[in-house]
Amino acid sequence: MTDQTATCANCDRRIGRLEQPFQWKGNTVCHECYERLSRAATDEPAPAATAEAPTPGPPAPGPAEADSVVWTGSPAIIRNAPLYTLVGLLCVAALVLAFYIPWPWATVAVPLLLAVVLVEEVQRQSVAYTITTKRVIMERGILSKDRHEVRISDIREVNLDQTFIGRIFGFGTVGLDTAAEVGGEIQMVNISSPRRVMELLHSLRG
């Protein structure tokens, strides 16, 4: 078995695997004719190839700004305080009179008065207003929903309508006028802290 690994192409000299390479002028050459040898004739390992670093591309676009909720509300319950107070007084009067008048009308009047309060409260709770960073949304209804929304960027004017009683108890109506020709208005009726809501809308419009 031979340890030969290569033969000089110039003088046919056999180059052994264990033979010490002969360097001349920076090249590995044959001992006999000083002809430059190929790398396969030596035991020197080939230099490792260096991978070029990839050219960085343009930065990936960031995610779009999220549309987050910043305020939610419904018509203020204080707006119905006079009605609820009146119904309460009538219920008390009906119960008191029931002890003196032997007639079952009180048992009918009290449930009817309470039904008035219940209907009014359901109607109040069926209206919801939502302000996000990009939209103003109004929803009406319990079983069926009527949804109306406008974009913050389309709002031209924000108006505040607040009565004397509303100023005392802290409720009022905020109206939005937009650039849309059809359905371009939203009335946020009898909401709590209407001035704070109006300032919030102004800040979102920039």
Side-chain angles (χ1 to χ4, degrees):
M1 182 176 181
T2 178
D3 62 350
Q4 175 182 337
T5 60
T7 302
C8 177
N10 186 46
C11 64
D12 294 332
R13 185 181 187 278
R14 294 179 180 179
I15 308 298
R17 183 183 302 274
L18 302 179
E19 188 173 352
Q20 185 68 25
F22 186 69
Q23 300 290 329
W24 186 61
K25 293 185 179 181
N27 297 315
T28 302
V29 298
C30 176
H31 291 67
E32 299 294 336
C33 63
Y34 294 92
E35 185 71 20
R36 181 178 178 181
L37 300 176
S38 63
R39 187 167 299 276
T42 68
D43 225 19
E44 297 176 351
T50 56
E52 296 182 358
T55 304
E65 181 182 356
D67 188 12
S68 56
V69 176
V70 296
W71 181 88
T72 58
S74 296
I77 191 174
I78 192 65
R79 175 65 177 81
N80 298 328
L83 173 63
Y84 296 165
T85 302
L86 177 61
V87 170
L89 292 175
L90 291 176
C91 288
V92 172
L95 293 175
V96 171
L97 290 176
F99 288 100
Y100 299 97
I101 302 176
W103 186 256
W105 62 270
T107 59
V108 177
V110 171
L112 289 177
L113 291 172
L114 294 178
V116 172
V117 174
L118 179 61
V119 170
E120 188 65 26
E121 186 63 16
V122 168
Q123 289 181 350
R124 186 184 72 85
Q125 292 289 345
S126 67
V127 180
Y129 306 109
T130 303
I131 300 176
T132 72
T133 53
K134 296 183 179 181
R135 298 172 295 164
V136 178
I137 305 168
M138 179 180 67
E139 292 182 324
R140 296 178 182 271
I142 298 295
L143 298 179
S144 61
K145 288 288 186 178
D146 179 21
R147 182 184 177 97
H148 183 200
E149 64 179 65
V150 297
R151 293 180 299 181
I152 296 291
S153 57
D154 291 338
I155 296 177
R156 294 186 300 182
E157 294 182 0
V158 181
N159 304 312
L160 173 62
D161 183 12
Q162 195 172 27
T163 63
F164 177 71
I165 300 298
R167 292 180 62 185
I168 294 176
F169 292 101
F171 66 88
T173 298
V174 175
L176 308 178
D177 293 331
T178 69
E181 296 181 357
V182 179
E185 296 184 358
I186 284 184
Q187 297 291 323
M188 306 172 71
V189 181
N190 295 327
I191 60 174
S192 300
S193 305
R195 189 170 297 276
R196 183 173 65 88
V197 174
M198 184 175 66
E199 293 173 353
L200 173 63
L201 291 170
H202 283 311
S203 66
L204 291 173
R205 291 174 61 199

